[in-house]
Structures are given as C-alpha cells and as structure tokens.
Amino acid sequence: MNARLNSSRRTFLKSTATIGAGLVVAFVVPGARRFAQAAPEAAAAASTGLEPNAYLRIAPDDSVTVLLAHSEMGQGIWTTLAMLVAEELDADWTRIRVEHAPAAPPFAHTAFGMQMTGGSTTTWSEFDRYRQAGATARALLVAAAAQKFNVPAAQVRTENGTAIAGDQRARYGELAVQAATLQAPAKVALKDPKAWKLIGHPTKRLDTPEKITGRAQFGMDVQFEGLLTAVVARAPVFGGTVKSFDATAAKAVPGVRDVVQVPSGVAVVADHYWAAKLGRDALKVEWDAGPNAALDTTSLHEQFRTLALTDGLLAKQAGDAKGALTRATRTLEAQYHVPYLAHAPMEPLNATVKFENGVCDIWTGTQFQTLDQQVAAKILGITPDKVNIHTTFLGGAFGRRATPTSDFVSEAVEVAKAAGKPVKTVWTREDDIRGGYYRPMYVQQARIALDDAGKPVAWHHVLVGQSILIGSPFEAMMVKGGIDGTSVEGVVDSPYIVDLADHRIDLHSPRTGIPVLWWRSVGHSYNGFIMESLVDELAHAAKQDPVEYRRALLARHPRHLAALNLAAEKSGWGSPLAQGRARGVAVHESFGSFIAQVAEVSIDPNPGPRHRVRVHRVVCAIDCGVAVNPEGVRAQMESGIAFGLGAALHSAVTFKDGRVQESNFHDYRVLRMDEMPQIEVHIVPSTEKMGGAGEPGTPPIAPAVANAIFALTGQRLRELPLRLPDTVA
C-alpha cells in the first residue's frame, strides 16, 4: 500500500479502491496508552496528535487485510499478528490477508519510537494493539448487523466472519460499508483467555503457500521494465578508499551500461546480474588500504586476553568481590573466547531504488524502515515523506538488515543517483561475508570463589569485546557510563550472579576498525555460552549432577527452574544412554523468555568432512509467557538451535592483513542438513509476562553441547567454534 499515513479516511479509502470500499480500522497510541480507533475517527485523531499507525481493512469481498508495521523475515509474525486480530474479530481465518506497511512515522514501534523489527519484540509489543483493533472492528460490525436485522446489538453474535441474530445472518463483507459509517466505541472489551479459539492453538503459517509456490516477493525478486542491476567493488580492507580505477575492460563486457564511483567503492551497472558481476571482475581498482591494513584476529585475540586480566569500566558491583576472592580457600578461574561471526542470511543483501520526479521508491527486505527512509532522503536532498519503502519478505536477516548506517540501502541509493536510472544493487555471497558487519569477538575472564559445598559465594567477571552501540545513533539512549548494555546482557542479570553478596563485572570495549552489529540473540549469543559453561564447571568442581546443581542455584528463580525441570524430564536426564553418548544441559533467559536445552552428543572417530562432534538430539523447554502460536514458537526454537549449533561447531570470521579470510559457505561453515539433530520443543504452560521467540533459542545450544562433550570426554572446551584435540577418541 502506498497511501500517505497522514491521509484522511476518505483519502485512505480512495487509495484502496482497487479492493472496494469497506471498513478500515486504525490503531492509535496516545502516549503510553493503547487503544483502537475506528476509521471515521482517524482524521479527528490526527488533528489532536493521535496519529494512526496501522490499519485493519475489511472489504465487501469478505477479505480481512491486516497491515503489518513489522517485517516478516521467517519468524512468523505474518501469521501471529493476524491471529491477534482474527481472534477478537471472530474472522473467517481463510479470508485473512496480510500486507507489509509502508514506512511512515505513525508505524513506529511502540517501545522504540521508530519503524523496525528486532529484539524479539514484535508479538509482545503488539499483543494489545492488534487485539483491540479486531475487537473494535467486531463492535462496529455488530452495530451494523443490529441495524440491518432491526434487533438490539446484544442479540447479535459473531462467528467465522458472520454476524448472526436468530435465523438472520450477514457476512462481514456485507456489513463493512455500513460499519464504516458508525461511531466507534471509546472502549472495547477483549475476550477472556478461556474463550480464545486461535490464540494459544497451533496454527499453520499464512505465508507458507506463498513461499512454496514462488508467489512471495523477496528483495531479489523485484523486477520491472527499465530496471538495471549493479554490483559494487568495495575496498578489501574496512576503511579503505578508491585511489583510482580503470573501467575500460569492465565497459567492454556485453550488457554493462555504466561504471560509477560511489562512497562505498565503484559500481558496475548492467542489464542483468551476470553482466554486472563479470564487469566488476574486469574492473581495475587501485585501493588505499587505510588505517586497518594490519588487522589480524590472532593479534587482537592476544590483546583481548591481556586486557581480560585487568579491571575495566565497572558494569555492576555488589559487596567486595575482590576481597572475598582473596580470602577464599577454593576458587575457579577460567578464560573463554568467542570469534567474530557473519550473519550470512540465505538471501544476500540487495535493494532496488527508483528516483523520479522528486520521489524515491525503494524495494528491499529491511528491519529498519525509518532509518532507511531518513538516510535515503538525506542522500537525495528530499524530505523523508518523499521516500517510499516497499518492504518485501526478508530471506533471513539475523540483525544484518538492521544496520544503524543503513549501509546496503544507502549504497543502493547512491548507485541509483549516480547512474540516473532505476537500479537493483546486489551483493554476492562473498560480498556479504567479507564486506558486512559482524558479531563481535569476545574474551572473558572469570574468577569465582566457592564455599565448602561447592556453591559460588563471590564472582569477578571481566568482558573484553567491541561495543555494537558506541558510535551509533543509539549510543545516547543505550550506552550508560561507557557501558553498552548489549555487551554485558546475560551476565549482569544472570541469576547465578545477582544472588551473590559479592560480585563485580568489568567491561573493556576496545575499538578495532572492524564493523560490528547485533547478531541473533546479540550479547546473549556469547554470554549464554560462557555463563552456562562456567556453571557446569562449578557443578563438576563440586562433584554434583549439573541439573541438581542448577536447581539449587535457581531456587529463587521459578521461571528458569520450570524450564530446566521440563527439559530435564522430557530428555530423560539421568537415564542410561547408548555407549559413547552423553548429555549436557544449559538454561538461559533472554528477551523475556526462559529456555532450557539438553543436548545428546557423541564423538565420531571417522567424521570425514563433518565435525567430529555429532549432536543427535536436543530437547528444548521454553517459557515465553502466552504462546500466541505454539507452532510458531516451536519453529523458532528449532531455527534458533540450528543457527546456534552451526556457530558452535563451525563458524568463525578471521582477519589477516586487514582482510576477511572467509568468503562463502565452504570456509564460513554453517550447519548442514545431515548435521541437524532431532529436536523436541516443549512449551511451559504460562500466563507470565510475554517474552520473545525469534532469538532466545540460540544462546543455550552451544553450552549444552560443550557441557555434553565434557561429560563424555573430560575435555572442557572454552572457545568457539568447539574443537576437540586430535588425541580425544
């Protein structure tokens, strides 16, 4: 939909005339309160500062269209948010349609003030709004039906997209036009959870048929008459610049139309991708490598290790951890290391840009519509309302399509501006892995004092790694006293630490010249591995069962404990296993959800090209509060486990002479199909505060596997990816 979001209801309905007039319901968010507002009030609401930020549309053809202010990138919100509307609307589920919203301030995230998708926040942030929109639409339809049937509204009931009173029936499509003329109620009652027919019930995804038939449009699928394709030659070292280039050979490639310099490098513009790719191969560029030409991860690792032995900025402190450690008669000390990681979504980065008559249209899969719109407007010298973002399906993202610099979108805008024609700028897989943003590398040092029973009584923890927020537009809001909260999440709030009278957490945030970014589960992705490995070390040092040891430490944390107990029960923890197999456990909270996983592993003595560690089975328990679509939650746990397991066993980005050494899936390994374990997901029945599901499944898998390896071999692996010594059979 391309309608401006400050339009009146009349303008909005004109913009949707292709589907016929009908009932349009707009959400409004006045301050911190949330309620639904019917379309007749939209203009009045705007005049009082209450701007609509999403629409629900019911057409005469009985279709119910839900407009999403968030991006569907595989996490299932295309279905989950529609379920919220349909539940309160009593809609016919077969008539539900979904569209991505355009980019405009009214579609801003209720918590973050910008249009975006990330942080596993979509469902909980929209749980009230979308239900209230459905309930408001239902109230208007009931009122219209009461007029049509000439009965009191109290005598009208609804089910499956139909209003019913006695033997009179009317489909929602028949009532939509009349309903649109009525005054919306100031308040609407939401269903008692006991009456839910959709929420809490496994529901098949609405986008699956589109994707398996090829009808779904991803950014790479965008095509129209006159569209050219570009591939950009970028500096092989971050911070490098173009000294000079010779485009003679590139322009001789059939299909190449132009070669233009842009801030990020030199773009070859052609009739199609292959011509652009060959043109770039033929392009001769002399680079100024810049200040990062000597970057080397081996050297950085040693620098980080040294820093980890020193105090940094104080992230959290209680009591006197150092004094308690000095007095302790028994301590455990360990250092852990995790590497840089690429996001490597299956669909490489791309964006299509058309700039004509002072208006810019951008087609792309993005997580950050607001920033993309603002950056594009600045480049083109126009106002943001002249930039239309057409959000397509995202072929994976994991945070890579949510860059504070809007790097791949801004680059595409620069290319189209320089070329003077509509251009789709495409990244190759190698571009994506060598020229993107990365999950930061970390080294962490922990010293823990134990009492006579083997329980921790003091904890000093030092983290060393780059901040993803310092230097970004989010620094002022999310970095306090030099502490990037995403660097220390999962440590400063760990239940194993917060209950201790004496604890201290220090942070070093060195700057390296390597661009870093959130990666699925952000700081939890490495802190979950390190914290749960450390607790497992403590359990074995105390000569206690790892599950029982955790139960004792988590006695004051019931949601952690419930997930742990369910995973232990369903995995058969403590029961005999086949010879050569062992189990490992981990439990971690992130994004408001509590996850426990038990991994069953063996060591393959003849692995061939596969990893020596074979993960056969993973049992996962999650407490995410209300699970709107249990099927979607299970799918996200499976996805998060597969994503995290690939990183645990294989993935690492390394630098030498300033250059990324990995380039594609042959050397930047992710999980292969034949390595996928059997996964069982169990959802803790819960009415607690809702958490996320897109990311929390990732952090526990690496420590669960590492802890199983220790149980099997006695080898404590403190680095990722996990590598067993050759001497271990």
Side-chain angles (χ1 to χ4, degrees):
M1 190 192 77
N2 297 323
R4 289 287 181 269
L5 270 297
N6 60 355
S7 61
S8 67
R9 168 178 170 266
R10 181 174 299 173
T11 303
F12 178 77
L13 287 174
K14 284 181 179 179
S15 75
T16 59
T18 54
I19 60 133
L23 173 63
V24 180
V25 173
F27 306 122
V28 289
V29 186
R33 296 178 57 215
R34 301 178 193 168
F35 62 91
Q37 178 74 38
E41 301 302 311
S47 69
T48 58
L50 309 179
E51 292 185 288
N53 70 347
Y55 290 95
L56 161 64
R57 191 169 63 222
I58 302 174
D61 67 357
D62 276 349
S63 64
V64 177
T65 301
V66 178
L67 202 59
L68 296 191
H70 302 269
S71 305
E72 174 58 64
M73 50 189 168
Q75 80 278 41
I77 61 169
W78 199 261
T79 304
T80 303
L81 296 191
M83 288 174 66
L84 300 178
V85 169
E87 179 67 72
E88 295 294 339
L89 182 58
D90 284 335
D92 179 351
W93 184 246
T94 66
R95 304 297 297 164
I96 294 290
R97 307 290 182 265
V98 184
E99 297 175 6
H100 279 122
F107 286 95
H109 193 294
T110 58
F112 300 121
M114 59 178 283
Q115 191 171 346
M116 55 82 69
T117 306
S120 297
T121 63
T122 296
T123 302
W124 66 252
S125 71
E126 301 291 9
F127 188 64
D128 290 342
R129 271 204 313 187
Y130 275 67
R131 288 189 301 145
Q132 288 164 344
T136 298
R138 178 185 173 277
L140 290 166
L141 291 163
V142 165
Q147 291 181 0
K148 181 180 178 69
F149 300 154
N150 195 27
V151 300
Q155 294 183 15
V156 179
R157 63 185 178 88
T158 56
E159 64 177 40
N160 203 35
T162 303
I164 304 167
D167 59 358
Q168 299 185 88
R169 306 170 68 91
R171 294 177 294 104
Y172 283 175
E174 299 175 60
L175 301 168
V177 173
Q178 175 63 18
T181 68
L182 303 178
Q183 179 74 29
K187 284 188 176 182
V188 287
L190 299 178
K191 288 183 181 179
D192 187 298
K194 294 177 183 177
W196 286 344
K197 297 177 181 178
L198 275 174
I199 296 175
H201 298 272
T203 304
K204 292 182 179 180
R205 290 176 57 145
L206 292 172
D207 53 337
T208 298
E210 300 295 310
K211 291 176 178 177
I212 63 176
T213 60
R215 294 195 302 269
Q217 186 182 62
F218 294 82
M220 203 70 83
D221 298 325
V222 173
Q223 195 65 45
F224 52 81
E225 187 69 27
L227 179 64
L228 301 175
T229 300
V231 177
V232 178
R234 302 175 188 86
V237 176
F238 291 114
T241 55
V242 175
K243 291 177 69 175
S244 64
F245 68 95
D246 182 352
T248 305
K251 289 182 175 180
V253 173
V256 170
R257 298 298 176 186
D258 203 356
V259 177
V260 295
Q261 186 169 353
V262 292
S264 58
V266 181
V268 178
V269 183
D271 291 334
H272 49 79
Y273 167 77
W274 193 240
K277 166 71 167 59
L278 293 179
R280 187 180 68 171
D281 291 345
L283 184 67
K284 296 178 181 178
V285 184
E286 183 181 0
W287 300 100
D288 179 344
N292 299 316
L295 271 176
D296 185 287
T297 39
T298 300
S299 175
L300 283 176
H301 184 203
E302 290 305 310
Q303 294 173 35
F304 284 19
R305 289 187 62 187
T306 300
L307 272 177
L309 301 176
T310 66
D311 293 345
L313 290 177
L314 195 60
K316 190 174 184 183
Q317 180 174 235
D320 180 12
K322 287 187 174 183
L325 281 159
T326 300
R327 296 187 297 271
T329 59
R330 188 179 181 194
T331 61
L332 183 147
E333 187 165 355
Q335 189 173 94
Y336 280 78
H337 170 234
V338 298
Y340 290 104
L341 292 176
H343 301 78
M346 192 56 63
E347 179 194 19
L349 300 173
N350 62 87
T352 296
V353 179
K354 180 175 71 172
F355 182 48
E356 294 179 352
N357 302 319
V359 175
C360 177
D361 285 277
I362 300 174
W363 292 263
T364 189
T366 176
Q367 296 175 254
F368 268 9
Q369 286 86 351
T370 297
L371 283 182
D372 293 344
Q373 189 179 48
Q374 292 173 348
V375 169
K378 185 176 181 180
I379 292 169
L380 297 172
I382 57 178
T383 55
D385 65 300
K386 299 296 184 183
V387 178
N388 302 317
I389 304 287
H390 307 272
T391 303
T392 63
F393 283 113
L394 285 63
F398 317 119
R400 181 61 183 91
R401 289 179 159 93
T403 61
T405 59
S406 294
D407 68 318
F408 69 97
V409 173
S410 64
E411 180 183 69
V413 174
E414 294 279 11
V415 171
K417 179 183 177 182
K421 295 178 181 178
V423 180
K424 180 198 297 183
T425 299
V426 175
W427 294 49
T428 67
R429 176 72 58 202
E430 291 79 6
D431 294 339
D432 204 14
I433 289 177
R434 287 183 165 170
Y437 285 75
Y438 306 97
R439 198 281 305 272
M441 179 176 77
Y442 266 79
V443 172
Q444 298 187 21
Q445 183 82 20
R447 292 183 64 224
I448 306 165
L450 311 176
D451 64 14
D452 292 341
K455 290 185 178 180
V457 292
W459 195 306
H460 185 201
H461 201 113
V462 182
L463 301 88
V464 183
Q466 287 172 255
S467 163
I468 62 176
L469 295 175
I470 292 176
S472 81
F474 304 103
E475 179 176 359
M477 179 176 63
M478 301 179 69
V479 178
K480 304 300 180 183
I483 302 297
D484 179 341
T486 67
S487 296
V488 296
E489 61 188 3
V491 178
V492 294
D493 54 353
S494 168
Y496 306 122
I497 291 180
V498 296
D499 288 345
L500 301 181
D502 298 302
H503 61 264
R504 176 186 172 112
I505 300 165
D506 294 87
L507 175 65
H508 294 276
S509 301
R511 301 197 183 200
T512 69
I514 297 171
V516 291
L517 187 66
W518 27 65
W519 183 92
R520 191 175 191 174
S521 73
V522 200
H524 295 285
S525 68
Y526 45 86
N527 290 332
F529 164 64
I530 293 167
M531 291 301 300
E532 279 300 310
S533 294
L534 283 168
V535 170
D536 213 68
E537 291 201 48
L538 295 176
H540 286 284
K543 295 181 170 51
Q544 296 181 29
D545 175 84
V547 168
E548 292 300 330
Y549 187 82
R550 285 174 172 81
R551 282 174 173 155
L553 296 185
L554 296 172
R556 296 172 56 187
H557 302 272
R559 298 185 73 183
H560 288 83
L561 195 57
L564 174 64
N565 287 338
L566 184 57
E569 174 197 343
K570 296 299 184 180
S571 69
W573 184 270
S575 63
L577 282 169
Q579 186 174 358
R581 294 194 183 189
R583 297 185 183 98
V585 64
V587 56
H588 189 77
E589 174 196 357
S590 63
F591 305 96
S593 292
F594 301 76
I595 317 288
Q597 292 172 8
V598 175
E600 184 179 321
V601 310
S602 69
I603 307 302
D604 190 341
N606 300 296
R610 300 184 308 191
H611 199 284
R612 294 183 65 201
V613 175
R614 295 292 292 167
V615 182
H616 300 277
R617 180 185 181 216
V618 177
V619 176
C620 174
I622 173 174
D623 175 1
C624 59
V626 176
V628 174
N629 185 4
E631 189 61 31
V633 172
R634 292 188 183 96
Q636 283 307 292
M637 292 303 101
E638 294 165 353
S639 169
I641 288 167
F643 193 78
L645 188 55
L649 298 180
H650 300 299
S651 306
V653 167
T654 59
F655 288 79
K656 186 176 181 181
D657 297 326
R659 290 163 168 78
V660 176
Q661 298 302 292
E662 293 71 31
S663 63
N664 208 314
F665 289 138
H666 69 289
D667 53 6
Y668 185 81
R669 290 283 304 277
V670 296
L671 198 70
R672 303 297 174 91
M673 292 180 69
D674 65 346
E675 296 175 308
M676 185 69 177
Q678 174 189 345
I679 297 176
E680 303 166 29
V681 179
H682 303 276
I683 300 173
V684 177
S686 178
T687 57
E688 297 288 341
K689 183 179 178 181
M690 187 182 294
E695 299 171 86
T698 296
I701 187 60
V705 172
N707 295 338
I709 292 171
F710 178 83
L712 187 63
T713 68
Q715 294 286 322
R716 179 62 64 183
L717 303 182
R718 297 189 177 114
E719 293 192 12
L720 294 180
L722 301 169
R723 292 284 182 266
L724 275 170
D726 293 337
T727 55
V728 176

